[in-house]
Amino acid sequence: MLSSSRKETEAVKIVASTLEADDDSEIVSTSPSNGGRPPIDAAHVPKKLWRHSSMDVCANLETKNESKVLVLYTGGTIGMMRNENGALVPMANALERMIRKAIHLHDEKYATARFGAGNTHKAPLALPSLGPDAKRILYTIYEYEPLLDSSNMTMDDWINIAKDLRRSYELFDGFVILHGTDTLSYTASALSFMLENLGKTVIVTGSQIPIFEIRSDGRDNFLGALIVAGTYCIPEVCVFFNHKLYRGNRTVKRSNGSLDAFDSPNLPSLAHFGIDVHVEYRSVFRPVTIDRFRVHSILNRNVCLLRLFPSITIQTVRALLHPPIEGIVMQTYGSGNVPSNRLDLIDELRRATKNGVLIINTTQCCHGAVQAIYETGAALLEAGVIPGADMTPEAALTKLSYVLSKDEWDLETKRQMMMTNLRGELTLPHTKLDKEMELVEALARSLHLSSSEEMEQLKDVLFPSLICSAVKTGDLYKLESLERYGANLSAGDVDGRTPLHAAASEGRLAVVEFLLGRGASVHSRDRSGNTPLMSAVTGDHNDVIAVLVQCGAHLTSGPHTIGEMLCSAAARGNVKRLISLMEAGADLNQPDVSNRTALHLAAHHNQESCVIFLLKNRALRDKKDDFGLTPADVARKFEHGNILKMLSVSEENYV
Ligand SMILES: NC(=O)C[C@H](N)C(=O)O
């Protein structure tokens, strides 16, 4: 048997090989024993990885309070060193080695206690404690080969990153992508579109100075990114840089010399890391459809950027509009203007849009949106050019590439999608947030609270309890008004339980659907590490389980914990719980730590209804426990003749 540290070491190897495998398939396979749903210990390699490495981490979350982050290291200055000519080049196999020795990025003592001594250089890394109430963040670095200066990155690299996120999505709580800064905004924008119904935090970061140098922004950027990915549920592709968290598709690289390299010209940052961390939860863009996470891994490369300048020749424009080009992002003047006296130019654009080329109008200005307030801008609208609102060129180009690759959409749908706010990349007039509430203000006044700190504390206390009572009574109207008053419907209470946890525990299907429609995360975990799905399972609310699973929820407890739940249900004759676990994705053959399955326990405790249910759902009869006993051996030992008979009836009689 493997020692625990060996197990972890093996696991780390498997992480790497898993990610190396060029596998386009979904990471979860299905098995007939659970009605075609993803089993907890699917035969697919990434599931094995879960079983070997992160399983223990996850199983112990109740006591350890940890979260797991996967770091995809693509390259960039953060891991560069100078070569013999003094030029910065990416250095393979150096970053992790350095991080293992950096006491503010890795807590060797904790890792040794957690994963055993001897192999700690291969076990996951552990961030030092962030405080008594904060989760301990464990992370694994997966280094790409070769590491790239981001100027050398292509759409293929974005696709590879997206696929790796898909493969490891269920295995980690959050993700960090280490990336060069030069094209970081393109990658972040592209990923924001490719990662559909994203429910977990993805942070892209890098640095201006290599992390190996004494004075480097790499340490703070990396640390901040890990903290956000491991602590906060911000289901977006974000950029963390220089103490600020931005929506990725709103960023532009603005400086190659300053450590404040990024800007988000048309959207304030989502969070600021000062003395305290302040997250603007109301600005977080959340998926509001009841659908699971999916990766769209195709991009259309026939797109380009066209920046206007006075006296641009018609030949230049014509050359760009030529096939195979299918989409163009124009950067026009001011609020979206082109010279209205250049009829040749406008005619050429009109001809192209008539031929099905999508042309998006964005502004050359750093701030502001395209608006048809001048005659010069209105001419473009009339020529079929699509107003690009306040999208950055990076966002507009990658969105265009994504939208054009959607074969299921016709041209008109594609046009509409370019004007639709898909991932928070553009501001629509009506997407402005409501003015914050008077409710809290009135109460604060009567309690003589005045500082903004006191107001925030009041909100933190007031809203969760008001929301909780509305959830309990299923009062959607109240929930809606609380949201209007500024309540964050995704916020956890002191135990980390969100309104979705409460609604799932109560079995309030309508509230669950309402909250999912408002972007509530199916992945948030309470203090004990339980997700809303586990709350629904322990309440046997099957309709709620079905909706949560449809929305991408999955069991996060370790396989043995799930095995124990199944065994305990079977021992007590609790068929209902077996059904709930199965519907939540558990494999009915998942054994407990002693390799006993639910069928063993049902046979032992003479639970006939459980045996029938398990056999009907193709539970395996020949599994042996640690004593080498099959369920039939157990039934024989305890002289449960009926069960013995059931176990000898051929499989076809049950299915
Ligand atoms: N600061 C950086 O990371 C710049 C580097 N040239 C890159 O984009 O990879």
Side-chain angles (χ1 to χ4, degrees), residues 34-48:
N34 66 351
R37 278 169 290 276
I40 192 73
D41 69 342
H44 200 278
V45 181
K47 284 288 173 187
K48 281 192 187 149

Side-chain angles (χ1 to χ4, degrees), residues 74-80 88 90 148-153 179-184 205-210 217 241 253 255-256 261-262:
T74 68
T77 297
I78 191 161
M80 288 190 186
L88 282 168
L148 292 175
D149 184 304
S150 72
S151 305
N152 287 331
M153 289 179 80
H179 199 286
T181 56
D182 287 345
T183 64
L184 188 148
T205 193
S207 74
Q208 295 283 65
I209 307 174
D217 54 334
F241 221 90
K253 182 170 178 181
S255 168
N256 56 14
F262 288 88

Side-chain angles (χ1 to χ4, degrees), residues 164-480:
D164 285 342
L165 289 170
R166 174 172 67 195
R167 288 179 191 119
S168 47
Y169 188 71
E170 291 195 1
L171 310 177
F172 293 87
D173 299 302
F175 302 87
V176 169
I177 298 165
L178 290 180
H179 199 286
T181 56
D182 287 345
T183 64
L184 188 148
S185 292
Y186 285 95
T187 304
S189 297
L191 287 176
S192 77
F193 299 111
M194 296 164 81
L195 307 181
E196 299 175 338
N197 305 312
L198 181 63
K200 299 189 180 182
T201 313
V202 177
I203 311 288
V204 193
T205 193
S207 74
Q208 295 283 65
I209 307 174
I211 202 165
F212 308 109
E213 298 192 6
I214 301 287
R215 202 177 62 81
S216 165
D217 54 334
R219 275 180 291 271
D220 270 2
N221 288 346
F222 186 39
L223 187 62
L226 283 170
I227 292 172
V228 181
T231 312
Y232 300 94
C233 188
I234 301 176
E236 295 202 35
V237 177
C238 304
V239 169
F240 186 84
F241 221 90
N242 200 35
H243 312 293
K244 279 169 290 217
L245 184 75
Y246 301 110
R247 177 169 302 151
N249 58 33
R250 291 291 195 148
T251 60
V252 288
K253 182 170 178 181
R254 69 150 173 217
S255 168
N256 56 14
S258 161
L259 301 186
D260 203 11
F262 288 88
D263 192 12
S264 173
N266 291 318
L267 187 81
S269 57
L270 299 177
H272 187 267
F273 276 51
I275 292 176
D276 295 314
V277 178
H278 181 73
V279 180
E280 284 292 337
Y281 280 109
R282 296 199 81 196
S283 305
V284 173
F285 191 86
R286 300 173 191 277
V288 291
T289 49
I290 299 183
D291 210 348
R292 62 179 68 234
F293 172 68
R294 219 175 290 119
V295 167
H296 181 79
S297 54
I298 309 163
L299 290 170
N300 186 316
R301 287 149 214 257
N302 297 324
V303 290
C304 77
L305 279 163
L306 166 59
R307 187 177 171 94
L308 276 200
F309 53 89
S311 295
I312 187 170
T313 67
I314 195 64
Q315 287 78 10
T316 305
V317 174
R318 207 170 279 151
L320 272 181
L321 289 173
H322 235 258
I325 285 296
E326 294 171 62
I328 288 200
V329 174
M330 275 179 70
Q331 289 182 274
T332 58
Y333 310 132
S335 47
N337 305 315
V338 289
S340 54
N341 55 5
R342 285 287 305 274
L343 291 182
D344 57 340
L345 184 68
I346 293 167
D347 281 347
E348 202 58 46
L349 295 173
R350 187 182 296 107
R351 196 167 305 130
T353 60
K354 279 212 170 114
N355 287 339
V357 177
L358 293 191
I359 305 179
I360 319 300
N361 188 12
T362 64
T363 171
Q364 295 182 7
C365 295
C366 301
H367 291 256
V370 157
Q371 294 163 323
I373 52 172
Y374 295 100
E375 184 201 17
T376 42
L380 283 183
L381 262 185
E382 178 273 317
V385 173
I386 301 163
D390 56 354
M391 279 190 285
T392 61
E394 289 88 337
L397 187 88
T398 53
K399 180 177 180 179
L400 191 54
S401 171
Y402 164 81
V403 165
L404 283 170
S405 72
K406 286 272 187 184
D407 288 342
E408 63 272 35
W409 292 341
D410 62 18
L411 194 64
E412 185 46 35
T413 309
K414 288 175 182 169
R415 284 178 58 83
Q416 289 306 321
M417 287 300 169
M418 286 309 300
M419 290 185 275
T420 305
N421 185 14
L422 297 180
R423 307 282 190 272
E425 73 281 4
L426 55 82
T427 314
L428 294 174
H430 61 271
T431 54
K432 289 215 169 64
L433 291 172
D434 289 344
K435 174 96 178 67
E436 274 226 354
M437 81 257 97
E438 285 89 44
L439 176 72
V440 172
E441 275 162 22
L443 190 62
R445 238 175 281 135
S446 66
L447 293 173
H448 304 293
L449 307 177
S450 53
S451 75
S452 58
E453 213 171 65
E454 285 171 323
M455 293 277 276
E456 286 304 313
Q457 281 168 356
L458 182 62
K459 273 194 245 171
D460 289 351
V461 175
L462 202 59
F463 282 139
S465 29
L466 288 174
I467 291 171
C468 192
S469 83
V471 166
K472 262 192 173 287
T473 53
D475 191 339
L476 298 185
Y477 176 74
K478 202 180 202 174
L479 283 172
E480 244 172 1

